[in-house]
Each structure stands twice: as structure tokens, then as C-alpha cells.
Amino acid sequence: MNEQLLTIMGPEDDTYFEVATHAAGPAGSLPLTPELLLNAPSGDLFGWSQNVGMGWQAERLRGREVLILGTMGGIRNEDGTPAALGYHTGHWEIGLLMKAAADEVAGAGGIPFAGYVSDPCDGRSQGTTGMFDSLPYRNDAAMVMRRLVRSLPTRSAVIGVATCDKGLPAMMVALAGMKKLPGVIVPGGVTLPPTRGEDAGKIQTIGARYATGELSLEEAADLGCRACATPGGGCQFLGTAGTAQVVAEAIGLTVPHAALAPSGQPVWTAMARQSARAAMSLAAQGLTMEKVLTDASIRNAMAVHAAFGGSTNLLLHIPAIAHAAGLAVPDASDWAEVNRAVPRIVSVLPNGPAPHPTVRVFLAGGVPEVMLHLQRLGALDDTVLTAAGVTLGETLDWWETSERRRRMRAYLAEREGIDPDTVIYSPESAQAAGLAPTVTFPKGNLAPEGSVIKSTAIDPSVLDENGVFRHTGRVKVFVTERDAIRAIKTGGIAAGDILALIGRGPSGTGMEETYQLTSALKYLPFGRQVSLLTDARFSGVSTGACIGHIGPEALAGGPVGRLRDGDWVDIRIDTRGLEGSIHMVGCGAQPESPEAGTAILAARTPHPGLAEDPSLPDDTRLWAALQAASGGTWKGCVYDTDRIIRTLKAGMEALAGEGV
């Protein structure tokens, strides 16, 4: 007997051989009418058969059908312990929100359906080839989500439940594309920080800090164990996950005060029930996505992003949402205009000035509190509709005098000892406290299409009295993240260096996120004296003089791909005026001018190590080609179907003309 098969198949129980071959079927009868039998699609009728087959009572089949679409991952036992782990805490408790929403729908006489498209974790894939699938996942997931929505033809509304870096942007892109359906987003909330320990952003630097003697082995092991203090929710800082939640609310897709709620707590599950009521109300009123998502609501989301000091990754996601909704897609000049007009007023990790975790922002009033300040500044269009079925102005009127606002803010002050007005400032007090605007878009001979820096995250100690960061230094060029992090850990990068990581944009790696580098530099003593340039992107928790999204990317012929070790680079970032430049300024004994650097770059061939990563999956290579044909990173890395078809037709016609 084959021992391998015996081990796999195991001992066989007698009950295995008691196989039923038929069953009585559900009790009752379908609520059919002659009209339905004559005119309804067969799929609608068979759908009812399947509904009762799954246990739904036949007499309740005429209720309004609501699809609850979530990014849940893992398998929880009934007591909450893991039967199988998820990829991250952000989707671990999503099923509880979906269950609360489903109960609310069913209790109102509706019929809840649930579908799932789980999501990856950027924290888990940092420094690995798993990061090559991170950004491409967003487009693919949004497509699958829309296919699931369309595959339930009888749904009357969609509730999207999602939390983290790519799952929530994918959900927003998916729902934005369903223009004729009512839709509501349920943000999955945040995890709590440990009572004593480090947040989930800082903890990702234990390797670099151990390598440089900043931490002992025992300290690293202890801190790492406690960083995710509760089992569910996105990270405790305003990274991409938290910023995406903020944007979902600011754009009008959630009920009021939904973003950044603490996962697993009563206020969090109540938000799911509120969202279910909102979805059913939207369906009853015929208020669809195209009536909620408008150019004005996109602009509102950009303003709130600026006020929060949010992740630069939303510069990829908000344009994608706008594109999916058929709206005007904001460009770099639009972002710059908004960031010049809107002050940053939120003090939250990772930018500060005080290191408040996101749960404190929620208690201080969250998105509606920030929007109340922006409304008073005239920085919002409060006539837009929201998922609550009322205008933003009506929402803010309710919020200002609500018991919820009063008690949440009082709790933060009285129980936590934190003045809510030092978490969410007034614009006047924010200016006095030195909170700088959020994002700057440097250009120059290394970035003719532009680049992005979260200028508010530059260490204040390296700014001059006018808030300007200047760094002229020699560059050290790397073509892999692994080599760059090794150099940081082993002394290959020193104060005053400019680190350039090239060939890591969409065509090279799927535009990987390089938080390994930015976090290591942040928490090392000399890190504030090092600048980073890359055609890749950064985590939302990244800080420092880190310039990413450099365009064109190196592998698309961008001049950043012609840098060599020892070249002089000049960086200038005005953190108040939100203007900046990055120029190569020579390669001799002393720096020269941008014009000299431009001539040198033009005469050079690309860096000899520049190449597509050998581990890049074909799936991501295809994504990179499609998003490039659609306008690239500055259009949000979307799939523009019309542009792609035109490009393919032109290519086929050219081949036909050549007789191929």
C-alpha cells in the first residue's frame, strides 16, 4: 500500500459511506406571478430557486436586494481566533461589518447578498517581489468587483466594505464606475496602538535600527510583538490606508464620521448598520453614484486630503476614481492649486507635529470636523450630495450641533487628556503651530514631467528660516531596492548623500513602494541629511526629503535613468510656496548649472544596470503597458479603454502596412 496516500487520505469513518442521493428541498413556494413567468429573465427566476436553496425563506423573496461587497481575508473562528490568517489586520474583521450591514438589510425586509475580493498588504510585501503586484492589484480588483456587481442583475444598491492601501481604492474605483447604481462605502476602521510600544509604521524599521545598533535583539522582538495592539483595522497612522478612508468620506461615499473608527468596537459596527440604512434609502430615492460623485466632490476630496496632510499615493487613486466616474481627472497643477489654497490642520502620525494616532483624530471629530473648518474658509462646495442622501451642507449643520460631536470630543479631552483642538486645529492655530502645506511637485532636468514630495514631512531642522529645503550633493545610484537598503544598513549611505533608486517605476517593478528606504532613513541619526530620488512611489507613512513619481520613469527614457554615481544633484523645495526643482548640475569637481547638467544627460546613454526587474510577473508587465497607453502615473495608472483600443488599432494598422 502506498504510504504517502495512506497518510493523506487517513482512516476512513463509516459515515463517509452514507451518501445521500436526494433531499426534500426547501419548504414553501416561490412568490411567482403569471407576469413574472411570462416576462422575467430566467436568471431572475432561477436566482429565487438558489436563494431558497441557501436557506432564505420563500415568503421573504420580494424584498429589495442589496449586495455587500467586501475585501475580507482570513477565516475567523466563532470566538475570533484565527482558523486561517488574513494577509493583514485591515481585512481580518471586515466580515463583522458585513454581518452587521446584512442584519440591518434583512431586518428592513431586504435581501442581503455578499461577495468577496480580498486584498494584499503593502507592509507584508515591503522589500519583496510581492510589491510588484501591489499597485496593479487595484485595477484588477476594481474590474473583478464591477464584474461581481453586474453579475447580480437584481441588486438595487451596493455596499462596499474595505480598509487598506489597495482594497479601499479598488472599491472606490469599482463603485465609481457603477454610475447608475446607489452605492455606499463602509471604511474598515483602524487598529489601536499599543499602550507601551511603537506604531505599525515605526515598527517596520526594526531591521535597519538593529543593523546600526539602535535596537537590541530583545527590544526588536518585544516591540514587534505588540505593534498591532488590536486584531482588526488599518494601521494607526495616516498612511495610504487611513488617507483612503478619509477620502472616501470626503468625496461623499460614506455616512458622516465613518473614517478611522476603531475596528471591532460598538461605534464601528454601528457605522455598518448606518451605512446599510443609507444604501436602502438611496435606492428608494433613486440617488445613484453619478448624482453623488461630481467634479465638485472630487475637488472636495482633494481639499480634505490637503487639510489632513494625506498620503501621496492618493495622487494615483483620486484621479482613478474620477476617471471611473467619467469626471475631469485632476492633474499636477490642480493638486498644486488646492494645496496652496488649503491649510494643513490635522496633527497625526506620521507628520505631526504631535504623534497622534488615527483613533484620536476620529475622537476629535474626524472628517466632518475638518470639513467644518474648510467650509468656514470657503474651501468646499457644500451643495454636493452625500451617501446619507443629503447635501454636505446639511451634514455639516447636523454635525456642528450633534450630541455625537460633543461627546466624542469631550471623551478625548476628559478620558484621554488630549485637547481635540490640538489634534484638529483651526486654520489660525495651525498656522501658529507651524503646520506646513502637504504636497509639492518639483520639476527639473531630472523630472521634466514632474515628481511628488510630501513636503510637510521634511524634518523642520533641515529647513531655512523661510521654510525652504536645499540640498546639493553627489548622488549614489541604485537600480534595486535590495542594494539600496543594504547600503543604508552597512554604512554605504552617509549624511549629505543623495540616494537615487531608478528603474523602479511601472515598467520596472509595477511602481513598487519603497518604504523600506524611507523608514530606515527616518529612524537613523543621519537620515535627515539624506535625500531620496526615485521613479517608484512611497508608503503613506514615509517622511523626509523623499521625491518620488519622477516622470518620465527611467525605463521610458526619463533622464533620471542617465544618472551616474558621483553626479551633482541640486534639490530645492519651498514648503510654504509649494514650488520645487530637482536638477542634475554636473559631474566634475564642483557643481555647475542646470543647463550644463541637461547637456551632459542628453549626451549619455542609460545607466548600464537599468533593466526591467527579472522577477517582474507577466501580469504586471501587461498592467504597465496598459496604464502607460492610458496616460501613465499622472493619469492615475488607469485603464483608459478608448485610448488602449486606439493604440492597438494603430499598431495593427502599422503592422499590416509593413506586411506583417
Side-chain angles (χ1 to χ4, degrees):
M1 182 66 70
N2 188 303
E3 292 297 326
Q4 173 76 2
L5 282 175
L6 282 175
T7 301
I8 291 171
M9 299 303 291
E12 294 180 323
D13 190 283
D14 286 345
T15 59
Y16 294 178
F17 304 101
E18 298 173 5
V19 180
T21 59
H22 55 84
S29 60
L30 301 184
L32 295 172
T33 65
E35 182 181 1
L36 284 171
L37 288 171
L38 289 171
N39 300 312
S42 65
D44 289 4
L45 305 181
F46 181 57
W48 276 1
S49 295
Q50 294 197 83
N51 293 351
V52 295
M54 288 183 279
W56 200 257
Q57 295 177 3
E59 61 268 24
R60 298 181 60 196
L61 285 173
R62 299 304 296 266
R64 189 186 299 276
E65 296 182 4
V66 176
L67 173 59
I68 306 168
L69 194 58
T71 57
M72 188 179 79
I75 304 172
R76 289 165 47 94
N77 294 317
E78 289 186 6
D79 63 358
T81 58
L85 291 169
Y87 286 24
H88 55 88
T89 60
H91 64 208
W92 176 243
E93 293 185 331
I94 286 290
L96 301 178
L97 286 173
M98 297 178 75
K99 174 68 163 56
D103 288 345
E104 192 69 27
V105 171
I111 305 175
F113 286 78
Y116 303 89
V117 183
S118 195
D119 57 339
C121 175
D122 283 4
R124 188 178 292 273
S125 60
Q126 288 293 336
T128 76
T129 56
M131 183 56 72
F132 298 174
D133 288 292
S134 170
L135 183 55
Y137 160 90
R138 185 207 65 189
N139 289 15
D140 296 344
M143 290 170 63
V144 172
M145 289 170 178
R146 284 195 294 264
R147 290 189 187 280
L148 286 175
V149 173
R150 292 191 294 263
S151 296
L152 185 66
T154 50
R155 75 283 183 260
S156 60
V158 182
I159 301 171
V161 190
T163 306
C164 282
D165 291 31
K166 301 303 174 299
L168 182 49
M171 189 68 76
M172 287 191 281
V173 170
L175 265 62
M178 305 307 298
K179 304 179 184 66
K180 301 298 182 181
L181 272 179
V184 178
I185 291 286
V186 181
V190 299
T191 191
L192 298 185
T195 304
R196 292 181 300 278
E198 297 181 350
D199 68 82
K202 186 173 183 179
I203 207 64
Q204 294 181 52
T205 70
I206 54 177
R209 286 185 286 156
Y210 173 75
T212 55
E214 300 289 312
L215 282 180
S216 70
L217 175 62
E218 293 74 21
E219 288 170 329
D222 176 63
L223 292 168
C225 190
R226 290 185 282 111
C228 298
T230 51
C235 294
Q236 309 104 330
F237 49 82
L238 195 76
T240 305
T243 307
Q245 294 190 35
V246 164
V247 164
E249 183 167 350
I251 212 168
L253 294 182
T254 78
V255 297
H257 201 217
L260 311 179
S263 182
Q265 299 191 39
V267 69
W268 176 79
T269 47
M271 181 257 295
R273 294 192 295 272
Q274 293 158 357
S275 301
R277 293 196 291 271
M280 291 184 288
S281 176
L282 291 175
Q285 297 177 70
L287 294 178
T288 59
M289 293 296 298
E290 64 184 356
K291 296 177 182 176
V292 173
L293 280 181
T294 63
D295 290 334
S297 61
I298 294 289
R299 191 83 171 184
N300 284 349
M302 295 168 67
V304 173
H305 175 275
F308 268 84
S311 163
T312 55
N313 278 321
L314 272 294
L315 275 67
L316 298 170
H317 301 318
I318 289 179
I321 295 166
H323 173 265
L327 303 172
V329 175
D331 59 20
S333 64
D334 297 317
W335 283 102
E337 179 186 340
V338 168
N339 277 269
R340 289 191 184 99
V342 177
R344 182 168 67 96
I345 61 174
V346 180
S347 180
V348 61
L349 286 166
N351 301 329
H356 294 302
T358 43
V359 68
R360 289 183 183 168
V361 179
F362 177 77
L363 289 168
V367 172
E369 190 71 17
V370 170
M371 295 186 90
L372 199 60
H373 286 297
L374 298 186
Q375 182 191 46
R376 293 165 182 161
L377 284 177
L380 295 176
D381 184 335
D382 62 8
T383 67
V384 297
L385 281 174
T386 72
V390 298
T391 67
L392 176 60
E394 292 172 300
T395 299
L396 296 180
D397 288 345
W398 166 80
W399 173 256
E400 188 169 17
T401 59
S402 68
E403 178 78 355
R404 183 184 181 103
R405 178 186 186 229
R406 184 189 68 78
R407 292 188 62 178
M408 290 283 184
R409 288 168 58 84
Y411 184 94
L412 182 61
E414 296 164 10
R415 296 285 294 274
E416 300 292 312
I418 303 293
D419 180 355
D421 290 330
T422 62
V423 180
I424 299 174
Y425 289 78
S426 69
E428 297 76 21
S429 58
Q431 185 176 22
L435 273 72
T438 303
V439 180
T440 301
F441 299 88
K443 285 193 171 185
N445 63 18
L446 288 175
E449 288 183 355
S451 61
V452 176
I453 181 170
K454 190 195 288 185
S455 46
T456 191
I458 300 176
D459 193 294
S461 67
V462 295
L463 305 179
D464 67 16
E465 66 277 7
N466 297 313
V468 177
F469 172 78
R470 293 182 174 88
H471 186 180
T472 302
R474 290 192 181 272
V475 70
K476 292 179 178 176
V477 182
F478 299 87
V479 295
T480 72
E481 186 188 19
R482 184 179 295 275
D483 288 344
I485 193 67
R486 184 183 297 115
I488 291 172
K489 289 182 176 181
T490 59
I493 299 294
D497 285 343
I498 295 175
L499 188 162
L501 178 65
I502 62 173
R504 313 309 282 181
S507 299
T509 66
M511 202 177 189
E512 67 182 353
E513 183 180 282
T514 58
Y515 181 58
Q516 257 201 134
L517 306 181
T518 59
S519 62
L521 292 172
K522 176 179 180 179
Y523 293 108
L524 296 178
F526 62 86
R528 70 189 63 182
Q529 275 82 48
V530 176
S531 298
L532 172 61
L533 309 177
T534 185
D535 50 4
R537 60 190 176 89
F538 301 124
S539 166
V541 73
S542 293
T543 60
C546 307
I547 300 172
H549 298 223
I550 290 176
E553 62 172 314
L555 283 166
V560 71
R562 299 188 185 98
L563 280 173
R564 301 289 193 275
D565 284 347
D567 285 348
W568 289 98
V569 172
D570 180 78
I571 302 171
R572 178 185 169 277
I573 308 293
D574 182 345
T575 65
R576 297 175 189 169
L578 300 186
E579 295 178 344
S581 60
I582 46 171
H583 290 291
M584 189 273 209
V585 290
C587 56
Q590 296 294 326
E592 300 178 66
S593 66
E595 291 74 19
T598 300
I600 294 169
L601 290 171
R604 277 184 183 166
T605 58
H607 189 284
L610 191 63
E612 177 186 284
D613 193 285
S615 299
L616 191 68
D618 282 346
D619 299 330
T620 301
R621 295 177 64 216
L622 178 60
W623 166 85
L626 293 175
Q627 67 84 37
S630 303
T633 57
W634 292 100
K635 290 291 187 180
C637 294
V638 299
Y639 296 157
D640 185 325
T641 303
D642 291 337
R643 290 183 66 168
I644 291 168
I645 290 173
R646 285 198 301 270
T647 302
L648 287 173
K649 283 184 175 178
M652 288 187 290
E653 289 169 359
L655 289 172
E658 296 171 5
V660 177

